[in-house]
Amino acid sequence: MKMNKLKLLAFVVLGSLQLANAQKAPQLGKASVDEVIQAMTPEEKVELLVGPGMPGYAGLVPLEGEPDVRVLGQAGGNEEVKRLGIPKTVFADGPAGLRIQPKRQNNPNTYYATAFPVGTALASSWNTDLIEEVGKAMGEEVKEYGVDVLLAPALNIHRNPLNGRNFEYYSEDPLVSGKIASAYIKGIQSHDVGTSVKHFAANNQETNRLSVNAHISERAMREIYLRGFEIAIKEANPWTVMTAYNKIEGTYASANEDLLIKVLRDEWGYKGMVMTDWFGGYPGFAAINEKGSVSDVIAQMEAGNDLLMPGTKAQKEALLKAIKEGKVDEAAIDRNLRHILNYILKTPTVENYKYSDNPDLKAHAEVTRNAATEGMVLLKNEEKTLPYTNKSGTVALFGNTSYDFIAGGTGSGDVNEAYTVSLLEGLKNAGYSIDQDLEKTYVPFVKAATEKEMKRRAAEGLLAAVQRIPEMPLAKEMVTEKAASSEVAVITIGRNAGEQHDRKINNDFYLGQDEIKMINTVSDAFHAEGKKVIVILNIGGVIETASWKDKVDAVLLAWQPGQEGGNSVADVISGVKNPSGKLTMTFPMDYNNEPSAANFPGVPANDPKEVFYKEGIYVGYRYFNTFNVKPSYEFGFGESYTTFEYSDIAFSSNNFKDEIKVSVKVTNTGNVAGKEVVQVYVSAPSKMLDKPSEELRAFGKTKLLQPGKSQKLTFTLKAKDLASFVDAKSAWIAEKGTYTVKIGASSLDIKTAENFNLANDITVEKVNNTFDLDVDMETLKN
Ligand code: BGC
């Protein structure tokens, strides 16, 4: 009897083991994605749809109680579901290069990444091949440090110069933004790692970024704020998209069906994965530990925001409850899971890629050094002050930032690089001798002031804004002495900014009194000796230049040029490199000339809840040119050490059919080799609709042209390049009539122009009716 019982037990155990084996849960990569989804419990679905928080983000080791992570300093990633063979994958910032913790506890190795030039600097090169090379270098670091997705590129429009994150973004123009982003994505994804275009969409300010409600006409959305994303998504197919924090017409971008379903999926055909920005959709970071709002989570899921990042317990609880109670559309949940799983299937993690933790940082230092020089914009160069080749006399180096050069901005756009070459070091490396008294006073001054500022920030918590260190006071007699003993003066003006704060008008957009005093004192003294003054702008976004530029001889906009900054600037100062960058944004005469000045960052002024984009489509040069407002430096502007001539403009036909090809010959008519950025603007007929006087529709850059050499550049204009968005018809329409193609060296420096004709209106594209204004708002008309 006993024996029989045992036998029976053995039989049952064996049988159920066999059964379990036969019914073994489907494994991702072996079973189909749909089979995996079907096998998921509600709890497992939630695990995948809501990220695991940010373990390992801040320290040398994960904090107590946090799970282990593969890459310290990662911003997040998806949660694993072991039973179904779904691994964790890793996301890390950001736009200027990979942002991870450079050190780990009990580990002698370092994990530094290359700090590449910031977004404005890269874009100012207008060189998509170069950007793709930079992307490839970044992509190698992403892959070799075990990361699956770089949380970049960032391509929100420079609506207003005060946006604290403009340095991460590319331009006031959507074509430039879209093309630069495409090249960047292609470069990174060539390594089979992913990107995340962000912040989709209309994240154009940092003040109250988590909740501010943006009111934007559909036309401005389509033509300005979405167009760059559209180009990048259609041309480069980023693996993921990150939604913006802000609301658009009352709905969070991350819960906005117009944005995520009608536009992104239906119209653009996007198949990748959509994730929120970090804690996006909550009223504020304060809510992280509070109960998540169930309706937010449901709305986000149903609107097609596949993954909630970095994920909170409250979100998980809310979503689980909604799923169990049937309060969230099941089909939407499964659709989102499908996007997430399809993304995971592409990752190096799923391939079990053996990353080296040893990317080629040396080679990438060369990439960034070179890329930075191409994005530098020579704003002024009286009497060929630059290149400055005299290495026998001394250079008097002024300005705190000369000694503590800014490689890039702060926040998630920052990179933990191994070093930053200051201008002092860069000039020395290039063989210049620098005035030693100045060095001896500036270096300790800057060090002490920086330490004080760091303490202030630490004491006030991370949220304390970075503040510029006041310039070291300069005694007039000392400067007069230096003017006599040195050959030239170089002054650096520095600015930094980053997430969570917009920049200030005074003492940031406008120079501070200390800086004006420095420029005046140095210029007076050096000019009295017949010596030149060169200003280097080590900044991430636009500053005021009109009031002081006449006082100096040369102005080089170096941007925040990455870790090789000082060497890159020295390459340009010495003439090893001829600067060929041009502005991708307008430098106004005055802040109040900005079309958005009266409506930024929104109302009420002390705590903006609503922001009205009353300037409509007239952003940047579209406004300045159309309304004849003179800028200090216009969109597209940049000088060179050589000169170029434009000739032989030719069309494939003077009557537009499906497309038209435009070519132009560019000749280097100066004495040194150089590259030229060529800009193609189109003025369209405007009977049906008011339009900007001209809009950038194509651009290109010559190769390095030796003196006397020419290159023919050819551009293709398609119907969409002629079209404007007609709200009343929900359509992109190219209006019949005469079009003028203006080819220029800047938006105001048109070198050659020619007309063509379009016989009949073309409806290029019919789209969904979206983004209905939820308020009465008049927008600017021409
Ligand atoms: C930023 C994103 C970033 C994310 C993760 C957010 O605060 O807005 O750009 O990718 O944090 O660090």
Side-chain angles (χ1 to χ4, degrees):
M1 187 65 190
K2 237 184 184 176
M3 195 57 201
N4 273 350
K5 258 192 181 168
L6 268 180
K7 254 190 189 164
L8 191 68
L9 194 68
F11 196 69
V12 170
V13 169
L14 199 71
S16 47
L17 272 179
Q18 273 165 351
L19 199 70
N21 236 355
Q23 294 180 335
K24 192 166 183 254
Q27 299 294 296
L28 185 69
K30 297 199 179 90
S32 75
V33 162
D34 282 336
E35 282 168 326
V36 173
I37 294 173
Q38 263 163 35
M40 291 179 114
T41 63
E43 284 77 8
E44 286 168 341
K45 290 187 176 182
V46 170
E47 282 300 280
L48 205 57
L49 294 163
V50 183
M54 297 170 78
Y57 179 67
L60 289 169
V61 282
L63 299 176
E64 218 179 287
E66 279 185 349
D68 233 358
V69 293
R70 201 164 70 205
V71 185
L72 274 177
Q74 69 185 62
N78 68 283
E79 187 54 279
E80 69 192 339
V81 182
K82 277 200 179 131
R83 188 179 73 90
L84 302 169
I86 303 169
K88 288 183 189 195
T89 68
V90 178
F91 312 152
D93 287 305
L98 183 65
R99 180 169 191 253
I100 56 174
Q101 287 290 336
K103 298 211 170 115
R104 298 175 191 175
Q105 204 181 40
N106 303 326
N107 180 341
N109 301 330
T110 55
Y111 302 82
Y112 288 111
T114 305
F116 292 93
V118 298
T120 42
L122 289 177
S124 299
S125 74
W126 299 65
N127 184 340
T128 49
D129 292 340
L130 179 94
I131 307 293
E132 201 168 327
E133 287 310 308
V134 171
K136 281 184 187 157
M138 282 183 190
E140 202 230 342
E141 297 188 15
V142 172
K143 190 157 190 185
E144 292 309 321
Y145 277 134
V147 173
D148 298 285
V149 174
L150 186 72
L151 301 172
L155 59 140
N156 294 101
I157 291 291
H158 293 187
R159 173 181 177 238
N160 181 288
L162 301 184
N163 182 354
R165 292 185 87 172
N166 275 353
F167 74 95
E168 297 182 59
Y169 307 147
Y170 298 132
S171 176
E172 66 191 22
D173 179 82
L175 179 75
V176 174
S177 305
K179 291 285 178 186
I180 299 293
S182 297
Y184 180 104
I185 294 165
K186 284 180 195 163
I188 290 172
Q189 293 193 173
S190 70
H191 285 279
D192 294 321
V193 290
T195 54
S196 192
V197 292
K198 66 189 189 185
H199 310 87
F200 190 58
N203 184 173
N204 303 105
Q205 66 189 65
E206 287 303 290
T207 306
N208 284 354
R209 65 174 179 163
L210 296 165
S211 58
V212 76
N213 186 13
H215 303 279
I216 311 173
S217 73
E218 180 171 9
R219 181 175 176 198
M221 271 306 267
R222 298 261 180 191
E223 290 189 12
I224 308 292
Y225 298 103
L226 296 178
R227 186 77 182 113
F229 286 99
E230 179 178 5
I231 294 169
I233 283 166
K234 287 183 177 170
E235 288 187 3
N237 195 20
W239 286 13
T240 82
V241 169
M242 186 191 294
T243 49
Y245 284 127
N246 48 280
K247 292 177 188 156
I248 303 166
E249 314 305 343
T251 309
Y252 282 113
S254 59
N256 199 308
E257 291 193 16
D258 279 359
L259 188 66
L260 302 181
I261 293 183
K262 290 190 185 167
V263 172
L264 181 67
R265 301 287 185 189
D266 291 356
E267 294 175 17
W268 300 352
Y270 183 64
K271 300 269 186 307
M273 177 176 85
V274 177
M275 66 174 95
T276 58
D277 197 348
W278 268 228
F279 307 106
Y282 278 113
F285 269 79
I288 294 169
N289 299 316
E290 293 168 12
K291 273 247 165 286
S293 146
V294 183
S295 59
D296 278 353
V297 177
I298 295 175
Q300 287 172 314
M301 283 295 130
E302 294 187 344
N305 199 122
D306 305 316
L307 175 61
L308 305 186
M309 287 306 296
T312 68
K313 206 167 148 244
Q315 285 173 319
K316 285 191 195 255
E317 282 165 4
L319 186 55
L320 187 60
K321 190 160 178 275
I323 293 179
K324 285 190 166 166
E325 292 175 1
K327 293 222 170 93
V328 53
D329 180 13
E330 232 186 292
I333 293 289
D334 290 355
R335 168 200 64 197
N336 297 356
L337 287 166
R338 213 170 291 128
H339 291 144
I340 298 174
L341 291 174
N342 280 326
Y343 145 74
I344 294 174
L345 279 173
K346 291 195 272 200
T347 58
T349 291
V350 132
E351 300 273 311
N352 217 348
Y353 178 72
K354 297 276 173 288
Y355 53 93
S356 64
D357 272 333
N358 190 22
D360 195 346
L361 297 181
K362 221 166 155 203
H364 300 169
E366 270 309 301
V367 173
T368 182
R369 177 172 179 165
N370 177 43
T373 63
E374 268 217 49
M376 289 186 193
V377 186
L378 185 59
L379 292 177
K380 172 170 182 170
N381 197 18
E382 288 293 295
E383 295 172 354
K384 297 197 171 163
T385 302
L386 291 172
Y388 179 78
T389 51
N390 174 359
K391 291 188 183 167
S392 52
T394 55
V395 176
L397 196 52
F398 297 97
N400 297 340
T401 322
S402 294
Y403 297 85
D404 189 13
F405 219 60
I406 302 166
T410 65
S412 61
D414 194 9
V415 176
N416 294 312
E417 67 272 30
Y419 62 86
T420 297
V421 179
S422 71
L423 186 55
L424 172 73
E425 291 162 321
L427 290 173
K428 282 184 179 172
N429 292 344
Y432 293 98
S433 29
I434 309 299
D435 183 273
Q436 293 201 351
D437 294 338
L438 285 174
E439 182 180 343
K440 274 185 204 140
T441 41
Y442 263 112
V443 171
F445 172 85
V446 172
K447 190 164 174 258
T450 309
E451 275 164 11
K452 202 169 138 202
E453 166 65 7
M454 298 307 273
K455 270 196 196 135
R456 181 192 75 86
R457 271 171 63 78
E460 290 175 30
L462 270 182
L463 295 185
V466 190
Q467 249 160 45
R468 183 171 73 71
I469 294 162
E471 284 300 334
M472 185 176 87
L474 299 171
K476 212 169 155 193
E477 303 68 47
M478 183 276 281
V479 179
T480 308
E481 237 173 68
K482 292 302 158 200
S485 64
S486 343
E487 288 307 316
V488 70
V490 173
I491 302 175
T492 304
I493 299 290
R495 286 287 179 278
N496 212 342
E499 264 180 84
Q500 301 181 33
H501 299 277
D502 288 316
R503 293 170 48 211
K504 299 210 165 52
I505 297 181
N506 292 319
N507 200 14
D508 189 346
F509 177 78
Y510 292 104
L511 298 195
Q513 287 306 316
D514 54 331
E515 294 171 314
I516 294 171
K517 208 167 157 199
M518 169 171 69
I519 292 178
N520 287 340
T521 314
V522 172
S523 300
D524 289 348
F526 277 74
H527 288 161
E529 292 278 344
K531 291 170 183 168
K532 300 275 170 66
V533 178
I534 301 163
V535 168
I536 308 295
L537 298 179
N538 182 201
I539 60 183
V542 172
I543 62 168
E544 187 271 334
T545 52
S547 67
W548 56 267
K549 65 185 181 186
D550 290 343
K551 294 182 182 156
V552 302
D553 304 284
V555 181
L556 177 68
L557 172 52
W559 295 119
Q560 292 164 346
Q563 69 183 42
E564 286 283 328
N567 286 336
S568 304
V569 175
D571 286 342
V572 171
I573 289 184
S574 64
V576 168
K577 288 283 169 67
N578 184 350
S580 59
K582 297 206 181 187
L583 296 179
T584 59
M585 73 298 283
T586 306
F587 274 54
M589 296 286 286
D590 191 87
Y591 176 71
N592 290 316
N593 290 349
E594 282 291 331
S596 61
N599 295 295
F600 182 92
V603 287
N606 61 345
D607 185 18
K609 303 258 186 311
E610 313 284 323
V611 54
F612 299 92
Y613 285 41
K614 291 191 184 168
E615 69 285 357
I617 57 158
Y618 294 101
V619 177
Y621 72 91
R622 284 171 168 77
Y623 170 77
F624 285 86
N625 288 11
T626 309
F627 293 83
N628 286 314
V629 181
K630 194 178 173 314
S632 179
Y633 296 111
E634 75 272 15
F635 176 85
F637 176 82
E639 296 192 9
S640 165
Y641 296 157
T642 187
T643 48
F644 297 96
E645 193 182 276
Y646 291 56
S647 64
D648 303 4
I649 182 170
F651 287 159
S652 51
S653 157
N654 281 74
N655 287 304
F656 188 90
K657 284 264 167 49
D658 297 328
E659 62 175 46
I660 222 163
K661 287 202 184 330
V662 193
S663 62
V664 69
K665 187 169 139 190
V666 179
T667 308
N668 182 347
T669 49
N671 303 324
V672 293
K675 297 183 185 180
E676 172 73 333
V677 174
V678 178
Q679 301 154 46
V680 181
Y681 297 89
V682 175
S683 300
S686 54
K687 289 219 175 80
M688 182 188 291
L689 208 63
D690 74 305
K691 290 177 192 164
S693 50
E694 57 268 304
E695 293 180 87
L696 185 78
R697 295 305 195 186
F699 63 87
K701 193 165 192 176
T702 66
K703 58 182 197 252
L704 187 72
L705 290 177
Q706 296 301 324
K709 293 286 179 220
S710 322
Q711 186 182 342
K712 183 173 146 184
L713 281 91
T714 303
F715 307 93
T716 305
L717 297 174
K718 304 232 186 235
K720 185 130 178 197
D721 302 318
L722 311 184
S724 298
F725 186 76
V726 184
D727 237 315
K729 298 189 173 169
S730 290
W732 290 88
I733 297 180
E735 221 178 307
K736 70 176 176 201
T738 305
Y739 287 76
T740 308
V741 176
K742 303 171 170 176
I743 302 189
S746 84
S747 59
L748 292 178
D749 186 10
I750 301 304
K751 303 286 192 187
T752 174
E754 181 82 59
N755 293 344
F756 68 81
N757 191 56
L758 176 65
N760 297 303
D761 289 349
I762 307 178
T763 299
V764 182
E765 208 182 326
K766 271 293 275 174
V767 297
N768 297 307
N769 176 21
T770 53
F771 307 112
D772 284 336
L773 279 174
D774 61 351
V775 286
D776 277 337
M777 183 177 79
E778 279 297 309
T779 53
L780 185 61
K781 298 253 153 22
N782 174 12

